[in-house]
Amino acid sequence: MRYTTKWAGVSALFLLGLIPAAQAQQTGWGEGNKLESTEIVVEKNRTLELPEANRNFQKFLIQPPTLGDRKVTYRFNEYRLPEHYINLPMKVLAIESEQLSKQYGNYVKGGLGNYGTFYGQGYFHNTRNDKSSFGAQVGHLSSAHGPIENSGSASSYVQGNGELYYGPVAVGGRVRYERDQNYFYGGSNVSEVDKNSIKQVYNRFLVEGHLNNLTDVKNIFHYDGKVGLIYTGDDYNAKETHLFGRVETAYDLSTESKIKVDLDLAYTSLKGNDTYGRGFFKVRPAYALKMDRLGLMLGATIAYTGDTVNDARKFNVYPALEANYQVIQDKLTMFVGAGGDLQRNTLFSLSKENPWLNQNLQIADVNKGLEIYGGVNGSISKSVNFTGRVALQNYRNLYFYNNSVTDSAKFDLLYDDGVTKVFQFFGQLTFNQSEDLRLGAKVESNNYTTTSLREPFHRPDMIATAFASYNLSDKILLNSELYYISSSFGEITRTDGTKLLQETDNVVDLNLKGDYRFTPRFSAFLMGNNLLGSKYQRFVNYPTQVISFIGGVTYSF
């Protein structure tokens, strides 16, 4: 009871102390507001005792709610802002989609020049289409006069081609006809003969079909096949029929390796005074591996020819080995290899190279035996690329052109009776700053060592070319080419049977072409050939035109 009374007194004193404090905050402290002296007793040994609480460990059970059918009603009200609800103070500008440039799939051009020259060309093709591509081309170039009497020439062609696309598969073909007319003006008394008696005309007809899936990047098997027929005839009753087929395949084993198999088949029949046929077969299986910086190709070439010239070897096996290593990633690559090949020769290809061929030629395939090569390629920058290559080659039945014994105005095919060794160097440097400026130079040197021939007739030791193109604001287009061909040799047989070795000229020739666009559809052009005025003979007894010009116009539609 004593403890209770004391705590009640302490509480009463505490409450009585709060009252004047509250009043002091309202009226302030003054002389009339003083605290009375008070005695407070605090006992520190007091112990509070609380009764023991009862604990209940029983879990509360919550009954799950009772599920029942509940019908939910949805409303599909369409809410729209009223028209012109927001009055925008400015106009919103939409980004206009980029328009594709206008394409003209057709053009015609024509021009005239000195030497009685007429030039015409036409190109007709469909425009953008992801289902098909088809078109036609036609061209003609003729000169009524040449460097000497009876030395005019004419060349014409017409071609049609088409291709259909079935997803990643492309199937197509082309048909082409060519007519080349020249004169054997390399004789000594050419001005005194009937012009028609020295005329030579080649008619060539080609039909070809192809099938490939090269654009199918998801497929691990790629193929590219081609079959065709080429017919070649001349004014001296030569008739050649060449059937050919080629298939290139590649099977990806992984992202780093693949298997490649190339197959060539051909049969060539040539009719003249004699008729003979030549079979041809070639297959090259190879395994290619691409690692981090190292690339390898391991394979072989197996080939067959039906030739009989110089007791040609029928079956041939060549290595197909190559290794390349990126010394500097994407900048410099070194490569070495060993290979060989059998190359089909035809009247079609030879007559394009030399239009003054003799009649009743014995044509043989070129057998490139073992070849050891090496080199480098790469880029100095994004614009500058280079390639350098050296090779030691061994040939059998490598052909050479030489003046005929009976008529020096015509050329026979000669073959080295043995192995022709060639040390070859090739180099190329190109600069592509953009689509507007391109520069480049390339050189090829061949050092021939023959077995039975006196000289490598009409095969120059060096051919060098420098070229450039410039596009000035799509208004003026300029193209130039400067090339050098070293001298070669031909052998003339005199009437007494003696032979005279005659050297041709070194060829230095500059060609220029310029186009000026008045409108995207209409332009004018001017072409100049042999602008340095060099009087040279690429083949013995056959001088070429000195300076020639052709000027004309082009219209696109």
Side-chain angles (χ1 to χ4, degrees):
M1 187 66 182
R2 177 186 176 190
Y3 295 107
T4 304
T5 305
K6 286 188 178 183
W7 278 110
V10 172
S11 300
L13 290 174
F14 179 75
L15 291 176
L16 290 174
L18 289 179
I19 293 174
Q23 292 177 355
Q25 290 182 358
Q26 293 178 2
T27 61
W29 294 93
E31 294 293 333
N33 296 319
K34 296 183 180 180
L35 293 175
E36 298 289 339
S37 298
T38 306
E39 181 181 357
I40 300 175
V41 179
V42 179
E43 296 184 7
K44 64 178 182 178
N45 295 324
R46 180 180 174 85
T47 302
L48 299 179
E49 296 181 359
L50 298 177
E52 184 178 355
N54 294 325
R55 290 179 292 180
N56 188 1
F57 295 97
Q58 184 177 0
K59 294 183 179 180
F60 292 97
L61 297 178
I62 301 176
Q63 297 297 329
T66 303
L67 299 178
D69 296 335
R70 184 179 180 185
K71 186 176 182 181
V72 181
T73 303
Y74 297 93
R75 293 190 304 169
F76 299 93
N77 295 335
E78 185 177 1
Y79 296 95
R80 291 185 180 179
L81 292 174
E83 295 183 4
H84 307 295
Y85 182 77
I86 301 177
N87 184 15
L88 294 176
M90 64 183 69
K91 183 179 180 181
V92 178
L93 298 178
I95 299 176
E96 184 178 359
S97 60
E98 182 179 357
Q99 298 294 327
L100 294 176
S101 60
K102 174 67 174 177
Q103 279 192 340
Y104 300 104
N106 316 290
Y107 72 81
V108 291
K109 61 192 312 181
L112 300 173
N114 58 339
Y115 293 101
T117 300
F118 172 76
Y119 170 71
Q121 188 177 16
Y123 181 86
F124 315 96
H125 206 280
N126 69 324
T127 53
R128 297 183 181 95
N129 194 314
D130 58 355
K131 298 297 183 182
S132 63
S133 172
F134 55 89
Q137 301 91 48
V138 60
H140 176 80
L141 175 63
S142 62
S143 296
H145 313 290
I148 63 175
E149 191 73 19
N150 296 329
S151 58
S153 62
S155 178
S156 305
Y157 72 92
V158 59
Q159 174 177 296
N161 57 275
E163 195 171 46
L164 299 175
Y165 309 113
Y166 300 96
V169 177
V171 56
R174 64 175 178 139
V175 178
R176 183 181 178 92
Y177 169 73
E178 300 176 353
R179 183 183 186 273
D180 289 340
Q181 176 180 307
N182 291 275
Y183 295 91
F184 294 105
Y185 64 88
S188 57
N189 299 319
V190 66
S191 60
E192 302 176 3
V193 301
D194 181 15
K195 190 174 183 179
N196 289 325
S197 66
I198 59 173
K199 183 175 72 173
Q200 172 66 294
V201 177
Y202 285 100
N203 292 282
R204 308 182 187 93
F205 176 78
L206 177 146
V207 57
E208 179 184 275
H210 65 264
L211 176 70
N212 66 72
N213 70 337
L214 301 180
T215 60
D216 190 359
V217 295
K218 297 181 179 180
N219 200 330
I220 62 174
F221 178 71
H222 292 90
Y223 57 86
D224 184 10
K226 182 185 298 184
V227 295
L229 179 147
I230 301 176
Y231 171 82
T232 305
D234 68 3
D235 271 9
Y236 292 86
N237 297 322
K239 297 179 178 60
E240 181 188 69
T241 302
H242 175 59
L243 294 168
F244 64 92
R246 178 174 177 80
V247 178
E248 298 179 358
T249 63
Y251 182 80
D252 297 333
L253 299 175
S254 66
T255 56
E256 294 82 17
S257 62
K258 66 175 63 177
I259 294 176
K260 301 179 64 176
V261 178
D262 299 339
L263 175 66
D264 285 270
L265 294 170
Y267 181 80
T268 306
S269 174
L270 180 61
K271 295 181 180 180
N273 291 344
D274 298 321
T275 301
Y276 63 95
R278 305 156 53 216
F280 181 85
F281 168 83
K282 182 170 62 176
V283 61
R284 190 184 77 163
Y287 171 76
L289 176 64
K290 181 65 177 177
M291 290 177 278
D292 183 22
R293 292 194 177 189
L294 179 65
L296 298 173
M297 185 182 71
L298 308 174
T301 301
I302 304 169
Y304 165 84
T305 179
D307 290 340
T308 57
V309 176
N310 284 341
D311 294 326
R313 185 178 300 171
K314 301 293 185 181
F315 288 95
N316 301 271
V317 179
Y318 315 95
L321 308 173
E322 183 174 300
N324 59 78
Y325 181 76
Q326 295 188 39
V327 181
I328 303 175
Q329 191 78 26
D330 300 326
K331 293 292 184 181
L332 178 63
T333 300
M334 301 181 63
F335 60 89
V336 294
D341 198 9
L342 187 67
Q343 303 166 354
R344 169 114 296 191
N345 266 343
T346 63
L347 180 63
F348 174 83
S349 60
L350 295 174
S351 61
K352 285 177 169 290
E353 192 173 274
N354 185 342
W356 302 291
L357 296 177
N358 205 352
Q359 293 79 51
N360 302 311
L361 298 175
Q362 290 292 316
I363 301 176
D365 295 330
V366 176
N367 189 340
K368 182 194 288 187
L370 180 63
E371 177 188 25
I372 306 297
Y373 62 90
V376 295
N377 58 50
S379 60
I380 301 175
S381 65
K382 292 183 179 180
S383 303
V384 181
N385 300 285
F386 61 89
T387 299
R389 184 180 187 271
V390 294
L392 181 61
Q393 303 167 338
N394 298 275
Y395 287 95
R396 290 183 180 272
N397 282 347
L398 180 64
Y399 63 90
F400 300 87
Y401 297 113
N402 197 23
N403 300 78
S404 174
V405 174
T406 57
D407 186 354
S408 61
K410 299 176 182 179
F411 291 89
D412 290 330
L413 289 177
L414 297 184
Y415 300 95
D416 196 9
D417 188 11
V419 177
T420 304
K421 296 183 179 180
V422 182
F423 178 76
Q424 183 187 76
F425 168 78
F426 174 82
Q428 179 170 293
L429 180 67
T430 59
F431 173 77
N432 295 324
Q433 182 183 24
S434 63
E435 295 294 329
D436 297 332
L437 178 61
R438 295 181 178 179
L439 303 172
K442 61 181 178 180
V443 59
E444 180 178 334
S445 174
N446 295 282
N447 185 8
Y448 296 93
T449 302
T450 57
T451 301
S452 61
L453 297 181
R454 187 176 179 183
E455 292 287 345
F457 296 117
H458 289 102
R459 283 191 177 269
D461 290 338
M462 180 176 291
I463 299 176
T465 306
F467 52 90
S469 66
Y470 181 63
N471 183 345
L472 180 60
S473 303
D474 284 334
K475 196 71 174 179
I476 300 177
L477 307 177
L478 299 174
N479 292 275
S480 66
E481 182 181 60
L482 174 65
Y483 62 87
Y484 166 81
I485 302 176
S486 65
S487 62
S488 58
F489 291 90
E491 194 174 57
I492 303 298
T493 303
R494 298 189 180 101
T495 55
D496 60 358
T498 59
K499 296 182 181 296
L500 174 65
L501 191 65
Q502 187 169 335
E503 186 176 4
T504 64
D505 304 306
N506 291 318
V507 176
V508 181
D509 201 325
L510 175 64
N511 302 325
L512 293 176
K513 179 185 177 183
D515 289 81
Y516 181 81
R517 290 179 176 175
F518 296 96
T519 68
R521 290 191 173 190
F522 182 72
S523 63
F525 67 88
L526 180 64
M527 295 186 293
N529 295 322
N530 196 10
L531 296 180
L532 299 178
S534 302
K535 296 181 180 180
Y536 61 82
Q537 295 182 13
R538 170 65 180 88
F539 294 93
V540 170
N541 291 339
Y542 279 89
T544 59
Q545 296 177 352
V546 183
I547 299 178
S548 61
F549 291 97
I550 299 176
V553 295
T554 303
Y555 179 72
S556 302
F557 58 95

